[in-house]
């Protein structure tokens, strides 16, 4: 990691002390503080009013028990979280993650990132995140429903369309959102559509929300490539993951003329030199909910499955890499391999998928690098558009919604680009995103007084 300004070091030391054993949260704070050295050098007033210290401390953290009954009649216990990080710009907004790795440190890192990401969208949304250590893999529909209902029986009292608005994340898609929203509606006796986003169209969802994160990342990278006079057309691309973000990244990259030759899940990756067959991938992952090896098996000759432990997806040579699986999935070694094989641009579809070492390798090599909090903001931006449609009891067309998404992504790109230049680091999108996001939140907090 790079070093941070000496005026900011005590803030990081205190964050680490107060949040012991939460390495992902420390990592996320470290990266932002690293960028803020240039801000406080230029505008020392940001050191006043403990603005930076307050931004690093969540406004509220909720941890609760989730008891539920499995199909064998046994009582199971999971732990639920909601970290309401910052509401200076609007109601807390951010997804729910269901994954066995979830703990308070992971939710805190995600909530922290979300605060800056949401600020970058320019929409009136604060930052929050939640989830559970529940593992949805292998669970029946009934088990998923009972779990979601139990979770919401506790969480509902902390939510509201003007208070806190969850959505999906890893392990939480349309099915889970439906069950959680249904239980919220029942407990409150209110059809409060704007309390959840990522809803199905049938009960107040937005068109293009499912596609938005992947499409948005692709728009962002396309804009970045444009600054070098090039585009996706004819480029070889690797997209890790095979969830919602990865699938719609592949779709958009293909429509821009790029060739995606690899994608993955937690069991391994597939290499398909002829280009990923998206219909087959959707069928395997979304309809059948199967492992990625099944894609290679059904695709036949030419497609290969490489199990975890027998190589990294980042060993596959490509010109554009779009990590869209999970945090810290791309190491310094992976980054060095990508640089060696000629990568020119990286767009993070997941939250913090590149380790600090990897980011440094990309930056030292002068690669175009789009950090997740800017590049994957299209999902939450479209969530804000969903809230807007719900508030006006309206429903927009796909084209209208995607057009707004494209404009928002272009604005985020241009803001990050211009901010990096203003602070003397042209082309450094990490710096641009961190500073632009911080300034928006900090300015609002300053005006709202010490709260
Ligand atoms: N989980 C997504 C993210 O990381 C979406 C959050 C939302 O739509 O509220 O940004």
């Amino acid at each position: 990691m790079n070093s941070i300004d000496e005026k900011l070091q005590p803030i990081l030391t205190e964050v680490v002390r107060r949040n012991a054993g939460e390495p992902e949260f420390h990592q996320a704070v470290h990266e932002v503080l690293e960028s803020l050295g240039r801000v406080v050098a230029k505008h020392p007033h940001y050191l006043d009013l403990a603005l930076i210290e307050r931004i690093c401390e969540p406004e509220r953290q909720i941890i609760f028990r989730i008891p539920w009954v499995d199909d064998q009649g046994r009582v199971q216990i999971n732990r639920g979280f909601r970290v309401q990080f910052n509401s200076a710009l609007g109601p807390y907004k951010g997804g729910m993650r269901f994954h066995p790795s979830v703990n308070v440190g992971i939710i805190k890192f995600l909530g922290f990132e979300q605060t800056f990401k949401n600020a970058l969208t320019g929409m009136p949304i604060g930052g929050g995140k939640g989830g559970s250590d529940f593992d949805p893999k292998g669970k029946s529909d009934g088990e998923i429903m009972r779990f979601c209902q139990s979770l919401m029986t506790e969480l509902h009292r902390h939510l509201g369309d003007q208070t806190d608005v969850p959505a999906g994340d890893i392990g939480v898609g349309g099915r889970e959102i439906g069950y959680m929203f249904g239980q919220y509606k029942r407990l409150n006796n209110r059809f409060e559509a704007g309390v959840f986003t990522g809803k199905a169209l049938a009960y107040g969802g937005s068109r293009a929300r499912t596609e938005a994160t992947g499409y948005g990342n692709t728009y962002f990278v396309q804009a970045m490539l444009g600054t070098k006079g090039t585009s996706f057309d004819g480029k070889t691309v690797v997209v890790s993951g095979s969830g919602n973000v990865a699938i719609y990244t592949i779709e958009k990259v293909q429509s821009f003329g790029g060739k995606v030759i690899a994608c993955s899940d937690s069991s391994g990756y597939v290499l398909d030199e002829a280009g990923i067959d998206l219909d087959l991938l959707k069928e395997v992952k979304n309809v059948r909910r199967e492992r990625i090896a099944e894609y290679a098996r059904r695709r036949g000759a030419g497609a290969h499955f490489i199990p975890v432990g027998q190589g990294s997806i980042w060993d596959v040579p490509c010109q554009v890499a779009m990590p869209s699986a999970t945090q810290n999935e791309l190491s310094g070694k992976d980054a060095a391999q990508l640089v060696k094989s000629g990568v020119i641009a990286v767009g993070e579809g997941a939250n913090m998928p590149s380790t600090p070492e990897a980011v440094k390798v990309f930056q030292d090599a002068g690669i175009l690098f789009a950090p997740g909090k800017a590049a994957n903001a299209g999902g939450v931006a479209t969530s804000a558009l969903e809230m807007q449609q719900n508030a006006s009891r309206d429903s927009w067309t796909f084209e209208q919604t995607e057009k707004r998404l494209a404009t928002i992504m272009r604005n985020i790109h241009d803001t990050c680009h211009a901010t990096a230049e203003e602070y003397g680091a042209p082309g450094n999108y990490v710096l641009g995103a961190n500073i632009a996001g911080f300034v928006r939140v900090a300015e609002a907090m300053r005006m709202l007084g010490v709260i």
Side-chain angles (χ1 to χ4, degrees):
M1 288 193 204
N2 294 320
S3 61
I4 66 173
D5 188 282
E6 59 175 24
K7 292 193 201 69
L8 302 173
Q9 185 59 51
I11 301 178
L12 181 65
T13 306
E14 179 58 10
V15 166
V16 171
R17 187 198 65 79
R18 187 178 275 162
N19 303 278
E22 298 176 5
E24 292 84 2
F25 181 49
H26 304 165
Q27 182 183 332
V29 173
H30 191 292
E31 189 209 274
V32 169
L33 293 187
E34 212 175 273
S35 301
L36 295 188
R38 288 176 196 244
V39 180
V40 297
K42 208 166 165 173
H43 306 291
H45 72 273
Y46 283 120
L47 287 166
D48 299 343
L49 299 170
L51 278 169
I52 303 176
E53 290 87 334
R54 277 192 282 152
I55 279 185
C56 294
E57 178 67 16
E59 290 177 18
R60 190 175 296 109
Q61 306 180 50
I62 302 147
I63 303 184
F64 52 101
R65 180 170 73 193
I66 311 175
W68 57 281
V69 181
D70 69 17
D71 287 347
Q72 283 70 47
R74 288 183 306 239
V75 177
Q76 303 281 350
I77 302 294
N78 284 98
R79 185 171 285 184
F81 302 92
R82 188 75 187 163
V83 174
Q84 299 181 328
F85 222 105
N86 194 298
S87 60
L89 297 178
Y92 308 109
K93 181 82 199 84
M96 297 288 287
R97 174 177 293 191
F98 294 170
H99 192 270
S101 66
V102 164
N103 57 43
V104 70
I106 294 211
I107 299 299
K108 237 186 258 177
F109 118 65
L110 290 164
F112 183 76
E113 290 282 293
Q114 197 81 47
T115 300
F116 298 93
K117 182 196 307 195
N118 294 5
L120 282 172
T121 67
M123 311 294 285
I125 42 178
K129 202 85 186 192
S132 172
D133 57 3
F134 175 75
D135 186 358
K137 262 198 212 89
K139 301 290 190 297
S140 72
D141 233 36
E143 289 176 324
I144 299 274
M145 183 178 76
R146 291 192 295 279
F147 171 79
C148 289
Q149 289 176 338
S150 179
L151 179 151
M152 195 47 68
T153 301
E154 175 59 32
L155 190 60
H156 79 102
R157 70 190 87 248
H158 303 290
L159 306 181
D161 61 0
Q162 309 292 324
T163 308
D164 185 351
V165 182
D169 196 83
I170 293 172
V172 178
R175 174 180 58 169
E176 292 74 19
I177 289 169
Y179 293 146
M180 286 191 276
F181 178 75
Q183 182 75 346
Y184 179 90
K185 185 176 79 63
R186 186 184 191 193
L187 289 164
N188 285 281
N189 194 29
R190 270 166 67 86
F191 194 104
E192 194 185 322
V195 74
F196 242 99
T197 63
K199 302 183 296 295
L201 273 181
Y203 63 92
S206 172
R207 291 187 177 83
R209 174 63 190 88
T210 314
E211 294 83 355
T213 312
Y215 279 19
N217 187 19
T218 313
Y219 281 124
F220 194 104
V221 174
Q222 181 84 336
M224 229 171 34
L225 291 168
T227 65
K228 302 278 180 210
T230 184
S231 73
F232 271 108
D233 200 24
K235 300 253 176 343
T236 301
V237 183
V238 168
V239 180
S240 65
S242 51
N244 183 46
V245 179
I247 284 178
Y248 291 101
T249 300
I250 298 172
E251 187 164 286
K252 204 45 147 189
V253 167
Q254 289 180 342
S255 82
F256 283 169
K259 186 174 178 193
V260 183
I261 56 165
C263 63
S264 63
D265 69 10
S266 57
S267 66
Y269 74 92
V270 289
L271 176 61
D272 188 347
E273 298 281 4
I276 297 288
D277 176 340
L278 196 58
D279 288 336
L280 177 59
L281 185 66
K282 284 182 181 171
E283 162 83 13
V284 169
K285 296 308 287 188
N286 288 351
V287 182
R288 297 167 167 264
R289 295 182 192 265
E290 280 172 329
R291 310 306 293 159
I292 200 91
E294 188 57 19
Y295 171 91
R297 199 188 64 76
R298 293 181 49 176
R299 181 88 159 132
H304 306 280
F305 170 65
I306 296 91
V308 159
Q310 291 184 28
S312 159
I313 188 171
W314 308 118
D315 295 339
V316 178
C318 62
Q319 290 151 300
V320 183
M322 302 178 83
S324 309
T326 194
Q327 69 269 2
N328 292 328
E329 57 163 304
L330 197 162
S331 68
K333 191 167 153 260
D334 293 328
Q337 182 61 40
L338 280 167
V339 169
K340 206 171 120 201
S341 61
V343 78
I344 61 165
V346 178
E348 293 189 323
N351 291 312
M352 209 169 75
S354 310
T355 64
E357 295 75 29
V359 177
K360 192 161 182 332
V361 169
F362 291 137
Q363 288 182 329
D364 289 349
I367 301 302
L368 292 167
F369 176 76
K373 64 170 78 70
N376 74 33
V380 76
T382 308
S383 279
L385 301 179
E386 183 172 336
M387 292 162 76
Q388 200 172 322
Q389 291 168 74
N390 294 151
S392 57
R393 299 186 186 280
D394 199 359
S395 173
W396 306 345
T397 63
F398 195 96
E399 291 66 33
Q400 198 179 352
T401 318
E402 195 189 344
K403 211 166 144 217
R404 286 285 303 268
L405 167 66
T407 307
I408 291 169
M409 294 316 296
R410 163 56 69 179
N411 288 342
I412 298 174
H413 171 274
D414 294 353
T415 301
C416 296
H417 194 263
T419 307
E421 219 155 71
E422 185 189 335
Y423 283 87
N428 186 338
Y429 288 89
V430 173
L431 199 97
N434 286 337
I435 295 180
F438 167 78
V439 167
R440 278 196 186 151
V441 180
E443 277 305 316
M445 286 176 73
R446 200 172 49 75
M447 292 176 204
L448 294 171
V450 179
I451 54 170

